[in-house]
Amino acid sequence: MAEQASERIRIDAPSAACLEVVLDFEGYPQWARDVKQVTILDRDAEGRGEHVEFRAAGLGKSFKYTLEYDYSELPSGVSWTLVEGEGLRRLDGSYRFEPEDESTRVHYELEVDIAIPLPGLIKRRAAGMIMGTALKELKKAVESR
């Protein structure tokens, strides 16, 4: 069963700066602690990553997954769906950017279904950790530019 989580954070930067970091997939290993390697498999007509393969560490192991990105909501948001992944049935989510004066409220939604047999509490905790870490690390990456 998939676990859904949503969270938001305020980043002291314009939404364009947040979007720039989010769309710089090759830069993820420098700021997203669990992401070890990123490969853009193909790009859309605008040169953005359309299918992106990630190698990440989590739950005590390393695994790969490929996401397909949807840019139809730009510049206010970007979403993705899982194409394939080791130990994952679902890893779908989105970032939405809401400008607030000189800052941005970033909304992050994630739906995770881990194929490894784990108790529901552990799966919910994993989804929450992914989300909390992703937002805090995104904030730090954007604000340190």
Side-chain angles (χ1 to χ4, degrees):
M1 185 165 140
E3 298 297 330
Q4 294 180 322
S6 64
E7 198 169 315
R8 61 187 182 176
I9 196 167
R10 189 174 147 278
I11 296 179
D12 293 324
S15 58
C18 299
L19 184 60
E20 185 179 324
V21 172
V22 166
L23 297 183
D24 178 17
F25 300 113
E26 288 102 339
Y28 278 38
Q30 282 81 50
W31 63 268
R33 179 180 22 174
D34 295 337
V35 176
K36 305 304 178 194
Q37 182 181 349
V38 177
T39 304
I40 296 179
L41 302 176
D42 55 62
R43 297 178 184 271
D44 68 6
E46 305 285 323
R48 301 173 296 220
E50 188 169 31
H51 292 95
V52 182
E53 181 183 81
F54 294 83
R55 186 176 63 77
L59 300 172
K61 63 181 274 180
S62 177
F63 55 97
K64 284 186 183 181
Y65 56 93
T66 301
L67 302 178
E68 179 176 19
Y69 283 83
D70 177 357
Y71 301 107
S72 62
E73 300 295 321
L74 284 179
S76 63
V78 61
S79 61
W80 60 89
T81 55
L82 179 70
V83 175
E84 62 182 336
E86 298 171 354
L88 295 168
R89 285 189 206 96
R90 178 165 286 182
L91 187 63
D92 302 348
S94 66
Y95 280 110
R96 283 186 300 114
F97 308 102
E98 188 180 304
E100 291 183 341
D101 298 320
E102 299 297 314
S103 64
T104 304
R105 176 76 57 186
V106 179
H107 300 264
Y108 185 47
E109 295 184 7
L110 190 65
E111 188 170 355
V112 180
D113 190 359
I114 300 170
I116 302 164
L118 294 170
L121 173 65
I122 302 296
K123 287 185 179 186
R124 283 189 295 281
R125 187 176 264 165
M129 285 175 48
I130 291 168
M131 179 164 293
T133 300
L135 280 175
K136 288 175 193 156
E137 290 175 352
L138 173 64
K139 178 180 174 67
K140 187 175 175 182
V142 172
E143 291 179 353
S144 67
R145 292 181 141 215

